[in-house]
Amino acid sequence: MKNKAIFLDRDGVLNHEIYDYICRVEDFEVLHYQIPPLKRLYDEGYLLIIITNQGGIALKRYTEEGLAVMHQILFEAFEKQGAKITHAYHCPHHPTVSEPCNCRKPLSGMLLEAIATYDIDPALSVMIGDKPRDVEAANGAGVKAILIEPDQQIDYDQVKAVLAG
């Protein structure tokens, strides 16, 4: 049987949106109120997978190591509440300094990689993001999408309604 997943944008969905690159670990603020609705979905068998553009790496605003520390903070916050993030995919490229890539949202490369790696059924999955490019990336991978406002609490019932079609 195939897996099902909740794909999650990071900035503005799992951590506080500051409308700039989060370059320093001390500026990385986990939105702890997102964990309970996501834990309910995790308990129902959904994989939690982060799909995030991190163009600040290509712009040399922060490093892969700094990003890894931020993701570790996020993973630990979820684990403390009994949920597990399966994987955090990130695109380190930026159109001003990088060659074109397939991973940067609104393209669907990161979602397609996750779907292949974790044997996920896109039809049973949803992407939650706070930007139109998150919706576009999801749709390109055959995944339903929910657009929320930055830092808006994820609504469990809305997610279930979208998944039900």
Side-chain angles (χ1 to χ4, degrees), residues 4 14 39 41 50 62 66 76 82-83 94-95 99-101 107 109 112 117 128 135 142 147 155 159 165:
K4 52 192 181 178
L14 296 178
K39 183 189 180 325
L41 293 158
I50 298 170
Y62 51 93
E76 286 171 6
H94 193 276
E99 294 297 311
C101 66
L107 297 176
L112 293 170
T117 301
I128 302 171
V135 174
L147 185 63
D155 179 340
V159 173

Side-chain angles (χ1 to χ4, degrees), residues 60-122:
K60 307 224 181 297
R61 298 278 303 275
Y62 51 93
T63 62
E64 290 276 357
E65 293 72 22
L67 182 70
V69 171
M70 291 181 222
H71 286 172
Q72 192 56 42
I73 291 167
L74 203 49
F75 281 49
E76 286 171 6
F78 273 76
E79 283 167 18
K80 274 188 191 128
Q81 295 197 37
K84 181 176 185 289
I85 296 171
T86 298
H87 196 102
Y89 288 92
H90 72 277
C91 169
H93 310 113
H94 193 276
T96 61
V97 294
S98 305
E99 294 297 311
C101 66
N102 294 323
C103 51
R104 188 172 173 84
K105 295 179 291 183
L107 297 176
S108 306
M110 290 185 282
L111 284 127
L112 293 170
E113 185 181 335
I115 287 165
T117 301
Y118 294 102
D119 194 26
I120 293 164
D121 184 343

Side-chain angles (χ1 to χ4, degrees), residues 115-137:
I115 287 165
T117 301
Y118 294 102
D119 194 26
I120 293 164
D121 184 343
L124 302 178
S125 304
V126 70
M127 168 92 192
I128 302 171
D130 66 338
K131 306 253 177 354
R133 66 179 178 228
D134 298 317
V135 174
E136 219 178 303

